[in-house]
Amino acid sequence: MKTSRIEEYLDSLFPNPTCELIYHTDYELLIAVVLSAQSTDKRVNQVTPILFSRYPTLYDLSNANLEDIEEIIRPVGSFHKKAYYVREIAALVASHRGMVPRDREVLMKFPGVGRKTINVFLSEYYQEPAIAVDTHVERISKRLGLARPKDDVLTVEKKLMKAFPKEVWGKRHLQMVLFGRYHCKAIKPECGPCPLKDICHEKKKNF
Ligand code: SF4
């Protein structure tokens, strides 16, 4: 009952949610997701067109000067380690015949790539059923009682996979990200028009 109310509201707000990262190829998406850690899609979208036009092939990117990559991606933060990830990922993808491997175990060995990144990549690029738990998804899950406050991200992911039908995992992930980004924000969520107030654990703090 509670879950279906949440699903209905998310569907009404975002009937056709899409990933806001700009990309043209599988490796561009993977790198964009890696760059988005502790940053925003908006900032990533500011730097990736410059990065991928300066280095238009995997060969170019994997042979790029690290400091030049750092300079381009500086706005996304943590640019030292992210520049290293970008160059290494480009080299690894090149060594896999130029395609990002569609294999979780192989991808886990890529630098800067963890479970959340893999879930976003596989869900977005291949429409594989997966729920990536980022900061928005975690916060909303806990506010709405889909997870407990002390749950770690893997537990939240498992609870969401149980709560939602498998065929909509990717969609629910995107909807929760957008809900968290534009409505149920970390600070000063827009609770006024939200019809989920009666089931929200956050409401006491805001009303
Ligand atoms: Fe988020 Fe406020 Fe709605 Fe709770 S009532 S889900 S905090 S927008």
Side-chain angles (χ1 to χ4, degrees), residues 143-144 179 184 189-191 194 197 200 202:
R143 283 178 173 174
L144 292 175
F179 184 45
C184 188
E190 294 165 4
C191 303
C194 180
K197 286 194 276 284
C200 178
E202 190 75 8

Side-chain angles (χ1 to χ4, degrees), residues 57-192:
T57 67
L58 283 167
Y59 177 82
D60 296 329
L61 201 50
S62 60
N63 287 288
N65 180 294
L66 219 44
E67 286 170 7
D68 291 341
I69 299 179
E70 285 177 3
E71 204 47 49
I72 295 169
I73 67 166
R74 184 182 284 266
V76 300
S78 306
F79 55 92
H80 288 305
K81 68 176 181 186
K82 285 181 179 175
Y84 168 77
Y85 295 158
V86 167
R87 203 170 68 171
E88 288 300 299
I89 289 170
L92 283 164
V93 174
S95 74
H96 283 86
R97 298 183 184 173
M99 284 186 68
V100 176
R102 193 177 172 178
D103 182 317
R104 285 177 174 272
E105 284 185 25
V106 176
L107 283 171
M108 280 300 276
K109 292 178 186 145
F110 280 35
V113 175
R115 187 177 177 88
K116 185 191 75 180
T117 300
I118 294 171
N119 281 347
V120 173
F121 174 77
L122 292 176
S123 165
E124 169 66 16
Y125 202 78
Y126 289 111
Q127 285 77 53
E128 281 192 20
I131 298 186
V133 180
D134 71 352
T135 181
H136 299 299
V137 176
E138 182 180 4
R139 182 177 68 253
I140 292 161
S141 301
K142 291 179 178 179
R143 283 178 173 174
L144 292 175
L146 294 168
R148 290 177 181 275
K150 285 186 179 169
D151 285 345
D152 60 24
V153 285
L154 185 57
T155 306
V156 175
E157 182 184 327
K158 285 180 183 166
K159 286 186 175 178
L160 293 178
M161 285 160 74
K162 219 171 166 184
F164 300 132
K166 195 171 185 176
E167 58 272 20
V168 292
W169 286 351
K171 184 181 185 185
R172 294 288 175 254
H173 155 76
L174 286 170
Q175 289 172 324
M176 289 173 88
V177 169
L178 296 172
F179 184 45
R181 197 172 284 164
Y182 300 113
H183 301 273
C184 188
K185 301 169 190 171
I187 300 165
K188 292 192 184 171
E190 294 165 4
C191 303

